[in-house]
Each structure stands twice: as structure tokens, then as C-alpha cells.
Amino acid sequence: MAAEIPRPQTRKPVLLSKIEGFQDVVNTAVIIPKEDGVISVSQDRTIRVWLKRDSGQYWPSVYHTMPAHQSGVTVVLFVLEMEWVLSTGQDKSFTWHCSESGQQLGTYKTTAWVSGLQFDVETRHAFVGDHSGQVTILKLEQDNCSLVTTFKGHTGNVTALSWDPVQRVLFSGSSDHSIIMWDIGGRKGTAIELQGHNDKVQGLCYAPHTRQLISCGSDGGIVIWNMDVTRQETPEWLDSDSCQKCEQPFFWNFKQMWDSKKIGLRQHHCRKCGQAVCGKCSSKRSTIPLMGFEFEVRVCDSCHDSITDEERAPTATFHDSKHSIIHMQYEPTRGWLLTSGTDKVIKLWDMTPVVS
């Protein structure tokens, strides 16, 4: 009997507030810890601090520009333990400043403009994702940095990063609609894919206390992934000149087509076993949640018959934010989620589990 798969907690986002009145798109924003406030960074390189008034509305109390970048700021992180402000921009640069003096401590030039940034306090490693689809790991010192390694698994731009310092796992989202979970601390070299968006992934946050990953996308979707399950790597696609089920030749296999007097077939791949198969031998579709496929994908007929109902049970829940999201941030102490959209609106959501 297959092991029972834990079901994700009921966790429906509840809209708390909307912050409007921006003149430009908000590239990044963060909830102020222990305050009813938000810090926003707009496309015009301005920073605003919004505090909630007695009326329940959010009003800007501070306004200034960010001089560290020559073009739009994409991500800003505040590292309390180091008293550093890390920032990235469309000018293909990553910089870090002293939060007390405002002095720039160092900078690193990237090959493409940066759209994802995370930092590990324990090792002082910065994870930088850029528009080439690459993630760069840098070791930061007080006034310099060194390149540790780079890795690439996305076919599109890296659009968001999230770091779990306990499990030593990095999550990366991309314009290719996928999320990859990189096992860095375990040194296993595993890279597990998650497929649950119909458009590019724009934000990622990991909630360690519930072991859930929250992702947002341009499709307006908020997806909550149950990571308290044993997930499987997707198999590598196998190469073959003929269908590995019925042995009929593919259309480039001229010799076998001539010998068998048969017209070549188009090649496909089973998402579960990775075998090269023809359309007739892979006519069925199935979800494979433990491999990250929450939507139905192509599988060969034998794999389709082997997948149980328990294995098809979803490991994610899906919600509509009703705006095209370009940035998100999660504040775990209160369970609040912040999303900003192309509609120039910031929304605050209560993400605490619903008691049934």
C-alpha cells in the first residue's frame, strides 16, 4: 500500500488592506516588522515608508531616492545582523551598504540584470539570480566579495529567489513558469521542479514553521505548496531513435523507416519515467504532484496505469489575487503576505491557517 501523503493545511489568503496612489510600478516592497507599515521601492528609484493611520489608511511619511543604482532598483534586503542593506538593479550590479552610515561597502557586476536576491547570515553567502537564467553564489566580506559558484537549471530568466537557512535549500522561480528547489546544504546535488503557474513566477517565500512555499505569478495566482512531503526529482529525458514502447521509428530514423517501410513518428517524452515515446504510446495525461506537476502532463500508458489515486492527490492550493503580481514578501511573525502588481497597487493578505 502506498504511503499516505500529508494534505496541505487550509490556508486561504484574506485581503486586509490595499495601498494605492503610486505614480509608477512598485518593483519591491517589504512589511516593516512589528509595525503597521510598508517600505516600497518604485520603478522611478524612489523609496517610500507607508504607515497606517488611525483612519485605517496607509500614508507615506518618508520619501527619498536610491542613489546606489543607475537604473531601476529590483530587490532590496535589510540584514539586521550585519547592519547591511543589499540591493540589485537593472544596471547589472549588486551592491551592499552600511545601514547606519549609508556608505557603500562593495559592489559586484553581473552578466545580466538582477531580479532575485537572498542572503544567508551564517555563511555570508549572497544568492543572486539574473536574466540569463543563472544563479550566482557570492561570499561577502565587509568591503569585498568572492565568487563561490554558479548554477543554471531554468530555460528562462530567474525572477525570484527564496532561501531556507534551516534545510539549506534555495528556491528559484523563473519566467519559464517553473520553480526549482536546489538542495545546497545537503550536498546531494538534487534539483526538484515545481510546476503550478500559467505565467512567469514573480515571487517566492518559504514559511518554515508550516513547511510551506508560497509563490506568486504574473497570472495573478498565489500558490501554496506543501513541502512537508518527500518529493522526487524529474527524470532526465532519454535519447532514442525509436519509440521505447512500440519500437516504431521516429521521423529522423531514415534507415529504420526504409527497412520497416513505415513513416516516422514524432518523439515525445513521458514526464514520469523519461522514456522517449510516440504519441500513441503516450495518449494519456496525469498530474504527478510529488514530482511537482500539479497540472496534467504527458505520461506513457504504462506509467499512467501505475499512478495511484493517492499519488495524484494535490500537494498545493491555488488562489486568485486579482492583479498581475510583480513582487511579493511574506512576514512570518504575523502571517502577512504583501503583493504588488502591474496595477500599481500593493495588497496585504492574512495567510494564517483557517481553523475548520
Side-chain angles (χ1 to χ4, degrees), residues 57-112:
Q57 299 295 314
Y58 286 84
W59 293 92
S61 59
V62 178
Y63 171 91
H64 60 277
T65 59
M66 186 82 168
H69 297 277
Q70 300 302 314
S71 56
V73 177
T74 53
V75 187
V76 175
L77 288 181
F78 173 55
V79 183
L80 177 62
E81 295 84 350
M82 315 298 300
E83 294 186 343
W84 287 351
V85 176
L86 315 181
S87 63
T88 64
Q90 294 175 350
D91 56 359
K92 301 181 183 180
S93 69
F94 159 62
T95 67
W96 62 105
H97 286 71
C98 174
S99 61
E100 291 294 313
S101 66
Q103 177 185 359
Q104 180 172 310
L105 301 176
T107 186
Y108 179 86
K109 283 294 183 181
T110 59
T111 56

Side-chain angles (χ1 to χ4, degrees), residues 5 13 31 128 130 174 178 180 236 252 265:
I5 299 171
I31 299 169
V128 182
D130 63 42
S174 172
S178 74
I180 297 180
E236 292 187 13
W252 61 82
L265 304 176

Side-chain angles (χ1 to χ4, degrees), residues 40-254:
S40 66
V41 181
S42 297
Q43 181 69 25
D44 58 9
R45 299 168 60 212
T46 58
I47 299 176
R48 292 178 173 85
V49 178
W50 302 78
L51 297 179
K52 191 174 183 179
R53 303 297 176 86
D54 293 338
S55 63
Q57 299 295 314
Y58 286 84
W59 293 92
S61 59
V62 178
Y63 171 91
H64 60 277
T65 59
M66 186 82 168
H69 297 277
Q70 300 302 314
S71 56
V73 177
T74 53
V75 187
V76 175
L77 288 181
F78 173 55
V79 183
L80 177 62
E81 295 84 350
M82 315 298 300
E83 294 186 343
W84 287 351
V85 176
L86 315 181
S87 63
T88 64
Q90 294 175 350
D91 56 359
K92 301 181 183 180
S93 69
F94 159 62
T95 67
W96 62 105
H97 286 71
C98 174
S99 61
E100 291 294 313
S101 66
Q103 177 185 359
Q104 180 172 310
L105 301 176
T107 186
Y108 179 86
K109 283 294 183 181
T110 59
T111 56
W113 71 271
V114 178
S115 47
L117 177 63
Q118 288 287 278
F119 184 74
D120 180 54
V121 174
E122 181 182 345
T123 62
R124 294 192 183 184
H125 285 160
F127 304 95
V128 182
D130 63 42
H131 266 224
S132 71
Q134 178 175 280
V135 177
T136 301
I137 303 180
L138 302 171
K139 171 80 172 188
L140 299 193
E141 302 298 344
Q142 185 66 23
D143 56 0
N144 63 77
C145 69
S146 57
L147 176 64
V148 177
T149 189
T150 60
F151 46 91
K152 185 173 181 179
H154 290 289
T155 58
N157 309 330
V158 174
T159 52
L161 296 176
S162 181
W163 171 244
D164 174 16
V166 177
Q167 302 294 324
R168 314 298 293 175
V169 168
L170 180 71
F171 299 93
S172 62
S174 172
S175 60
D176 62 13
H177 308 181
S178 74
I179 300 165
I180 297 180
M181 174 177 141
W182 307 88
D183 185 352
I184 294 176
R187 300 174 185 264
K188 300 175 184 177
T190 54
I192 295 174
E193 290 188 51
L194 303 174
Q195 302 279 351
H197 287 277
N198 292 310
D199 207 333
K200 61 182 176 180
V201 179
Q202 291 285 57
L204 293 171
C205 292
Y206 182 69
H209 58 293
T210 58
R211 297 200 65 181
Q212 290 176 313
L213 177 71
I214 306 170
S215 62
C216 295
S218 294
D219 55 4
I222 299 176
V223 183
I224 302 168
W225 305 85
N226 178 19
M227 303 307 296
D228 196 20
V229 295
T230 302
R231 295 189 176 272
Q232 306 165 15
E233 280 191 287
T234 52
E236 292 187 13
W237 286 3
L238 302 179
D239 294 325
S240 180
D241 290 329
S242 58
C243 176
Q244 294 181 296
K245 296 296 182 180
C246 69
E247 298 185 350
Q248 291 201 53
F250 293 131
F251 62 82
W252 61 82
N253 189 350
F254 299 110

